[in-house]
Amino acid sequence: MTETSPVKWGVVLAVVMTAILEVLDSTIVNVALPHMKAAFGITSDQTVWILTSYIVSAVAAMPLTGLMARRYGRRRLIMTAIIGFTVSSALCGASISIGMMVACRILQGLFGAFLIPLSQSILFDSFPVEKRGQAMALFGLGVIVAPILGPTVGAILTEHFSWRAVFYVNIPVAVLALLMMAGGLPKEDPKPAPIDWTGLILMVLAVGGLQMMLDMGESKDWFSSHFIQVSLLVFVFAGAAFLAHSLGNKHSVVDLKLFADRSFAAANIAMMGFGLAMFGTIAILPLFVQGLLDFDVLTAGYLFMPRGLAAGVTMVVTGSILLKKFDPRLLVACGLVMTGLGNIMLARENLFSGFWDLAWPGAVSGVGMGLFFVPMSTVAFQKISRERQDEASGLYGVVRQIGSSIGIAIAGWQVSSRTQIHWHDLTAHITEVNPTVQHWAEVHGIPLLSPAAAGQLTQIVAAQAQMLAFKDVFLLTGWGAFAMLPVVLLMERPHLGQGAPAAAH
């Protein structure tokens, strides 16, 4: 698109809806898992595969976006992906067994993998250079806000309809996006592009092994499991072989030379670290408020709304106003600080915290997300040519997904391990000679050495140990955001006036 071409708002709305579809599906299912577990009569370990199958297939296919777009054309690829995603969503909703569900989720992931990178590329081309911040603000509404609000939407649909509704809701949205896109996207002539099958297989093995390890590690007790050990070996050896095979290979399945761009490489590092801060916190909040604070499923879902609304409003303001006035790197740094502060505020909560005690820190982090994502994306792609946007967007999406998976894995592992540590520390002080314990028994009128006292003390210590563990993880995710601040110094400032991102054509 030229800088004077009018913005096709129908296409813009369609691709934003498409982006929302894909990322929403990665979190909307979470709250419906207990209902699926009961419907299929499966174990918790089997339930995990409903999430893992989708994420692994999506991450494995996402780097192929550039290659597939060159071979078949961007328009044909995204419309095929939308149709495939819609059909597989309908099949997920109609599933009658765990086997059918997992197979359909794999298909969902494979088709959905192309939606985010292509949506980002199309948005870039739909706006003139000086308005790329607005494009990334709209893209951020889908990529960042949708997964935050996913638990809320999923809770409402599951509570008032059925777990199947979390899949069926995709269908009308996808059909509308497809119709709007069909009349607005230009047709492209496919270009012959050889497929490096060796590199493709090695890349899929490496990315799949890493994602399987991250997704299944917590449920399988990490490296005590042979499955996780094998996944790690597959990732290490396939990854090393892929790098050795692809470096210097002009037909490589992905162009690793993209990471020679300092800003693009630094943005990917920062995005991966941001995954720990954002998704690590989002992943454990439902467990915290429902499992420990006894919030019902709808209240737990509504808890994410202030965070999502704050992120959405800040993205719009950042893309339309702030990027024109401030260095994008400064906005990225402010976003990291605000996200970190919001998470650290959560570390001050206790067992008596109410809804707004938790909502306000979430809103602070949401502001940080809005300040971070829009300028980060514009800086990352400032030197990426149009011909390489699809491929760069695919790699950027993979890094964002892996970063979120790392954050979720670390947060879950830390909650479990820190709970055990605090349990042992606290129980060491539960003795009959401890004055505090004696006072507790006197206040409650319970003989200290009675079974009733032992039972109540066990419950109290377990709750306190979990509370302390959650506080530790909130602190960890907060400091994780601050740890990414030095990476901002590696980024180049866009040279096209007033913070607008430059673009090569």
Side-chain angles (χ1 to χ4, degrees):
M1 160 173 177
T2 66
E3 295 189 17
T4 58
S5 299
V7 175
K8 296 182 178 179
W9 286 104
V11 173
V12 169
L13 179 58
V15 296
V16 170
M17 291 165 59
T18 300
I20 290 174
L21 267 181
E22 199 281 333
V23 293
L24 186 66
D25 222 66
S26 63
T27 58
I28 193 175
V29 176
N30 292 27
V31 294
L33 288 178
H35 299 268
M36 296 185 209
K37 180 180 177 182
F40 295 141
I42 55 178
T43 65
S44 296
D45 285 346
Q46 291 174 305
T47 305
V48 172
W49 281 101
I50 298 175
L51 299 177
T52 301
S53 56
Y54 178 89
I55 296 172
V56 171
S57 60
V59 170
M62 202 175 290
L64 302 176
T65 304
L67 173 65
M68 299 294 285
R70 286 195 301 272
R71 284 182 64 90
Y72 303 108
R74 183 188 287 175
R75 182 180 188 273
R76 183 181 300 175
L77 179 59
I78 193 169
M79 293 183 70
T80 300
I82 293 173
I83 293 171
F85 188 84
T86 306
V87 172
S88 54
S89 295
L91 292 174
C92 284
S95 293
I96 57 175
S97 69
I98 183 61
M100 180 178 176
M101 173 62 76
V102 170
C104 295
R105 288 286 280 173
I106 291 173
L107 284 176
Q108 248 195 329
L110 289 174
F111 286 111
F114 304 115
L115 298 181
I116 293 296
L118 290 175
S119 296
Q120 184 171 10
S121 298
I122 293 169
L123 276 175
F124 260 123
D125 285 349
S126 297
F127 285 79
V129 174
E130 67 275 8
K131 294 184 178 181
R132 292 282 167 83
Q134 295 179 26
M136 285 301 94
L138 291 170
F139 183 66
L141 291 176
V143 174
I144 301 299
V145 177
I148 295 173
L149 298 180
T152 305
V153 177
I156 294 172
L157 290 174
T158 304
E159 185 76 12
H160 295 292
F161 298 98
S162 162
W163 64 264
R164 299 183 187 275
V166 303
F167 297 107
Y168 291 145
V169 73
N170 293 336
I171 299 174
V173 179
V175 170
L176 179 60
L178 187 67
L179 293 174
M180 295 173 69
M181 203 174 293
L185 272 183
K187 295 182 179 181
E188 296 174 313
D189 295 326
K191 300 176 182 178
I195 298 178
D196 175 17
W197 289 105
T198 301
L200 173 60
I201 293 171
L202 289 173
M203 184 195 68
V204 170
L205 286 174
V207 174
L210 174 61
Q211 193 66 45
M212 291 288 270
M213 183 179 68
L214 294 172
D215 284 356
M216 304 295 290
E218 179 65 26
S219 63
K220 292 188 175 296
D221 196 22
W222 289 102
F223 298 107
S224 61
S225 163
H226 292 306
F227 180 85
I228 299 302
Q229 293 170 8
V230 171
S231 297
L232 175 61
L233 290 174
V234 169
F235 162 62
V236 171
F237 287 107
F242 172 73
L243 291 175
H245 173 80
S246 299
L247 289 174
N249 184 350
K250 65 178 182 179
H251 297 306
S252 174
V253 69
V254 294
D255 186 3
L256 297 178
K257 289 184 291 187
L258 286 166
F259 291 107
D261 179 348
R262 195 176 83 189
S263 294
F264 184 73
N268 276 276
I269 294 171
M271 182 60 73
M272 185 171 287
F274 190 71
L276 168 64
M278 185 177 82
F279 286 100
T281 301
I282 291 174
I284 64 170
L285 266 176
L287 178 63
F288 174 52
V289 299
Q290 290 180 258
L292 196 58
L293 303 187
D294 291 328
F295 283 25
D296 61 71
V297 64
L298 282 178
T299 303
Y302 292 144
L303 186 63
F304 288 92
M305 293 190 71
R307 182 187 295 260
L309 291 173
V313 171
T314 308
M315 281 181 187
V316 173
V317 173
T318 301
S320 58
I321 299 175
L322 298 184
L323 268 178
K324 298 177 182 178
K325 299 180 180 295
F326 299 101
D327 184 338
R329 297 170 301 175
L330 176 62
L331 297 176
V332 169
C334 290
L336 289 169
V337 170
M338 293 293 287
T339 301
L341 284 176
N343 290 351
I344 289 174
M345 288 169 64
L346 285 173
R348 302 176 59 186
E349 303 301 334
N350 55 54
L351 292 171
F352 303 101
S353 294
F355 180 90
W356 288 108
D357 297 319
L358 296 158
W360 284 117
V364 172
S365 289
V367 171
M369 292 173 196
L371 287 171
F372 174 88
F373 186 82
V374 176
M376 175 61 73
S377 297
T378 54
V379 170
F381 289 86
Q382 61 178 302
K383 291 185 176 181
I384 304 297
S385 66
R386 184 188 186 282
E387 292 74 22
R388 304 171 82 190
Q389 278 181 12
D390 293 331
E391 191 162 14
S393 296
L395 290 174
Y396 195 61
V398 169
V399 170
R400 181 174 59 248
Q401 181 59 60
I402 290 177
S404 67
S405 296
I406 291 173
I408 292 169
I410 290 177
W413 164 55
Q414 282 293 289
V415 167
S416 178
S417 61
R418 296 299 297 176
T419 297
Q420 295 180 21
I421 291 172
H422 287 303
W423 167 268
H424 290 301
D425 288 344
L426 291 173
T427 52
H429 298 284
I430 306 298
T431 65
E432 56 185 297
V433 296
N434 186 325
T436 303
V437 177
Q438 293 174 351
H439 177 70
W440 175 86
E442 292 174 2
V443 169
H444 289 82
I446 302 174
L448 187 55
L449 299 180
S450 68
Q456 290 193 33
L457 284 171
T458 298
Q459 293 179 3
I460 293 171
V461 170
Q464 290 292 343
Q466 288 186 58
M467 184 72 242
L468 292 172
F470 280 112
K471 291 163 78 76
D472 290 344
V473 176
F474 291 138
L475 280 174
L476 175 65
T477 58
W479 287 112
F482 292 139
M484 290 297 105
L485 287 172
V487 180
V488 179
L489 300 176
L490 299 176
M491 302 173 189
E492 298 180 66
R493 178 175 181 171
H495 300 295
L496 189 67
Q498 296 188 335
H505 290 276

